[in-house]
Amino acid sequence: APISMVETIVNYLPEYRSDAHGQVQRFEIEDDGDFVYLDGQLVPDRRGKPFRQWRPHIKSANDIWDEISRVTKLPGVTGAPKLQPIETRLVMLRTGMRAPMGIKIKGPSLETIEDFGLKLESLLRSGAVPGLATATVNADRIVGKPYLEIVPDRTAAKRYGLNIADIQQTIALALGGTVVSTIIDGRERFDVQVRYAREMRDSIESLEETLISSKEGAMVPLSQLADIRYVRGPQVIKAEDTFLTGYLTFGSDPDHAEIDVVEAAKAFLQAKEDSGELIRPAGVRYDFAGNYQAALDFNRTLAVMLPVCLISIFLLLYLQNKSVTTTIIIFSGVMVAWSGGFLMLWLYGRPGFLDFNLFGINLRELFQVSPVNLSTAVWVGFLALFGIATDDGVVIATYLRQKFTELKPIGTEAIRAATLQAGLRRVRPCLMTTGTTLLALLPVLTSTGRGADIMVPMAIPLFGGMAIALMTMFVVPVLFCMAKERADRKTA
C-alpha cells in the first residue's frame, strides 16, 4: 500500500482513573494531599481524591494531539490532520481522501500530476495562506515505487525453441508458486503451494540463474532469455471522471473555519497563476475538496430553511393572535434573541471572558471558552433558538390581550396602567421559562465527551439568545402599549 494509506490511531487514557463501568475512582490521600500507597497500589476511599492520569498542562484531548505533534516533529516529515476513526471513513466516502481538506489534481499522466502537486505543495507551505496548517500540507508521491520487470527476448527464446508462454510459466512458478495438492483436515482444506526458496528469488542476480527447460532438454538461464531490471512506477493509480487523479491534503489551524481556509488558498493559488509564478501544464486542472463541501451544501440549504423557518414562526403567531401588529411585536423577540446569540459568540472570542475562579474552578476552562466559528452546528443552534425565542413574548402578549379585553382602557394613562399591571403579572412565568432553558443548557456547555464538539457550538447561541431574550419582558409590553396608544388616538 502507498504511504498515503498509512493511518496512526491514538488511544488515550481517560483524564481520571475509572473502574470497569466507567465510574471515576477515588483514593485515600494524606494531609498534604499526596496519595497513599499500600504495596505499590493506591488505596480506594469513597471520600478521597480522584487520580488524574494526564500531565498537569494537558487539559483536553486536543492538548494531547498538540503534544504528540510537538514531540514528533522531524526534519523532512510532515504532520497529519486530526480525524476521528469514524470521521476518517466518512471523509473518505465523501471525497476519497484521508484529510478534512485537500486538492484533487487531474491530468494526462501520473508524472505530470505529481510534478504539479509538488509545486502546489511548495507554494502552500510558504505560510502565505492564513489559517492553513503548513505542517499538514502533503502532496501524493505517485511515481517512485520500485517494480521488477522481466522483458523476454523473443529472438533468444526462438533460438532455444521456446515461446513466451514457456518463460512466463517458469517465472510464475518460481516467484508466485503453484498449488500442487490439498491437505484435508476435517472440514478444513489447505492448499500446498510450491515455489523457489526465498534466497533464490530475492534479488535480480538470483532470478537470472533461474533455469528454463527447452524442448530438447537443455537448461537455459533466464538471463539469456530475458532482460531483468528495476523500474520506477506508481504507488497507486487513482482515477475520477475518467481522469488520472492525485491528491494534495492539508488541514487548518484550530481557530480558523475550513471554508475560510479553502477560500484563502484558492485565491492565493489563483494569484500565483495570474502572476506567472505557477504555470499549469496543458491538460491539468485542480479542484478543492473536503469537509467544507458539506458546509457549502448546508449553506445552500440554510438559505432556504432560514426564511422558511422565520415565515413559519410568523404564521403560527398570526394564527394565534389574529393580528399582524401583535404578531410583529411578539416576533421582535426573534431579533432580540438573534442579537444575543451573536453577542455570546463574540464574548467567547474575547480573551478575558469568564477568566476567573469560582469555588476553585476556572470558569473559562469549565465552559471551554475559545473562539467559535460560524459552523453548521452554530447555525442549527440559531434555528433552534428562533423556535423558543418567542416563548416569553407569547406569554406576555397573551395576557396583555386578555387584560385589555377585560378592562377596555381608554386614554393614555389607562392604557399604560393596564400594560403595567399585566406586565408585572407575567414576570415570574417569563423568568421560569427562560431559567429552565438556561439551566438545561449548562450541562451541554460544560460537556467534554463524544459529540461535545458538535453540541457545545450548538448550545452557545441558544444560551446567549435566551439570556438576552429576557428583554422581551420589557420590549413586548412597551411596543404593545405604543400600538394601543396610537390606535386610541386615531379613534379619539
Side-chain angles (χ1 to χ4, degrees), residues 209-352:
E209 298 177 0
T210 302
L211 299 178
I212 300 177
S213 177
S214 66
K215 294 181 180 180
E216 290 78 13
M219 305 301 291
V220 184
L222 182 59
S223 58
Q224 299 183 16
L225 300 173
D227 180 22
I228 306 176
R229 60 178 180 267
Y230 282 114
V231 296
R232 295 174 67 249
Q235 299 187 51
V236 63
I237 299 177
K238 292 173 285 193
E240 291 186 15
D241 302 329
T242 70
F243 291 99
L244 294 172
T245 306
Y247 297 153
L248 184 151
T249 58
F250 56 88
S252 60
D253 291 332
D255 298 336
H256 291 77
E258 293 179 353
I259 295 181
D260 296 338
V261 174
V262 170
E263 293 296 334
K266 189 181 299 184
F268 172 74
L269 295 179
Q270 185 61 47
K272 292 297 181 180
E273 282 196 65
D274 296 340
S275 64
E277 186 175 347
L278 175 63
I279 300 176
R280 192 190 312 185
V284 173
R285 67 183 180 92
Y286 63 91
D287 303 303
F288 285 82
N291 282 348
Y292 86 101
Q293 290 177 314
L296 293 177
D297 294 339
F298 176 78
N299 289 341
R300 287 190 287 268
T301 304
L302 184 66
V304 178
M305 292 305 301
L306 186 59
V308 169
C309 178
L310 294 176
I311 292 173
S312 300
I313 294 173
F314 188 89
L315 289 176
L316 290 174
L317 293 175
Y318 177 78
L319 292 175
Q320 180 188 12
N321 295 278
K322 301 297 189 298
S323 170
V324 175
T325 302
T326 305
T327 301
I328 293 175
I329 292 173
I330 299 175
F331 195 76
S332 64
V334 173
M335 301 300 106
V336 174
W338 191 324
S339 63
F342 277 105
L343 178 61
M344 182 60 70
L345 292 174
W346 177 78
L347 289 174
Y348 260 66
R350 306 303 298 173

Side-chain angles (χ1 to χ4, degrees), residues 399-400 403 406-407 416-426:
Y399 193 73
L400 282 169
K403 201 66 177 176
E406 175 188 348
L407 299 177
R416 293 181 179 179
T419 302
L420 182 61
Q421 182 181 355
L424 291 175
R425 292 291 299 272
R426 283 298 174 263

Side-chain angles (χ1 to χ4, degrees), residues 11 47 123 169 176 348 351 398 474 492:
N11 296 316
R47 299 181 179 180
L123 290 174
Q169 183 178 3
Y348 260 66
T398 300
F474 309 100

Side-chain angles (χ1 to χ4, degrees), residues 4 20 61 83 89 92 95 104 109 124 129 137-138 160 227 274 280 294 352 383 402 457 482:
S4 60
L83 289 174
R89 301 298 178 266
M92 286 194 65
T95 64
K104 292 183 178 181
S109 66
L124 293 178
V129 180
V137 179
N138 187 25
Y160 290 100
D227 180 22
D274 296 340
R280 192 190 312 185
L383 289 176
Q402 294 173 354
M482 290 175 58

Side-chain angles (χ1 to χ4, degrees), residues 111-187:
E111 292 79 4
T112 305
I113 293 173
E114 181 182 22
D115 293 340
F116 186 70
L118 294 177
K119 292 179 182 177
L120 295 182
E121 180 187 82
S122 62
L123 290 174
L124 293 178
R125 284 186 181 179
S126 62
V129 180
L132 189 145
T134 56
T136 63
V137 179
N138 187 25
D140 283 349
R141 270 57 175 177
I142 303 174
V143 180
K145 184 177 182 178
Y147 284 82
L148 178 66
E149 280 193 355
I150 301 177
V151 184
D153 187 345
R154 296 178 179 270
T155 303
K158 184 178 180 181
R159 186 182 307 119
Y160 290 100
L162 297 170
N163 53 39
I164 301 301
D166 297 330
I167 300 175
Q168 291 177 342
Q169 183 178 3
T170 303
I171 294 173
L173 175 63
L175 296 181
T178 184
V179 177
V180 296
S181 181
T182 302
I183 296 176
I184 301 175
D185 183 11
R187 298 179 61 185

